[in-house]
Amino acid sequence: MVSTEYERKIAARFATFDQDGNGYIDREDFNAATKALLAEFGIAARSDKGQALYIGAEAFWQGMAGIADRDGDQRITREEFVGGAVKRLRDNPDRFAEIARPFLDAALAIADGDGDAAATVDEVARALKALGAPETVATAAAGALDADSDGRVTEPEIVSAFARYFTVPE
Ligand code: CA
Ligand code: CA
């Protein structure tokens, strides 16, 4: 039963990570996200960019598990997510940026079609849709990332926005 704005936001964050929707976050969800991004942008898993994304996803999972998997069963339940991840990340958003950065860097390199170290707003929207965001949410979020409205989204913009997204105010 989702009743407050805070609970609604937490549920949305949890669903973002729980890519296969089975009620807990584990390594498979990070693999699913990686596969979805590679498929969307036509990048081979065995390529350098593909391997970098897998390595970043594993580091992201290990970092999240270290923060939130209190009972060490390699699964983050909703309770562990709320009690561990959300609270600790709110206290320390820099830590979240740190564990997410290798994955976000690799994802940006995959979405960045012309190799100029920035993704277009459209490329970011495609990446978010591949990760399961509804079209309107993906388009709005991608546009919001481009703070100076030059049509390009860079790594610092993505990392700080991602950390902000998970720093859910109570
Ligand atoms: Ca899952
Ligand atoms: Ca657990």
Side-chain angles (χ1 to χ4, degrees), residues 34 37-38 41 43 48-57 100-112 155 158-159:
T34 299
L37 285 172
L38 293 177
F41 292 97
I43 304 289
D48 288 348
K49 284 182 176 179
Q51 288 300 297
L53 192 62
Y54 273 104
I55 290 166
R101 180 170 282 117
F103 177 77
L104 296 175
D105 279 355
L108 176 64
I110 279 166
D112 172 18
E155 192 258 15
I158 289 174
V159 172

Side-chain angles (χ1 to χ4, degrees), residues 18 20-22 24-26 29:
D18 183 14
D20 59 12
N22 65 353
Y24 54 82
I25 300 163
D26 71 2
D29 293 308

Side-chain angles (χ1 to χ4, degrees), residues 69-73 75-76 80:
D69 181 19
R70 308 303 288 271
D71 62 2
D73 68 350
R75 295 174 174 184
I76 300 171
E80 287 175 328

Side-chain angles (χ1 to χ4, degrees), residues 8 19 23 33 50 58 89 110 129 159-160 163:
R8 195 186 62 74
Q19 287 275 310
E58 174 65 16
L89 296 174
I110 279 166
K129 271 185 279 181
V159 172
S160 70

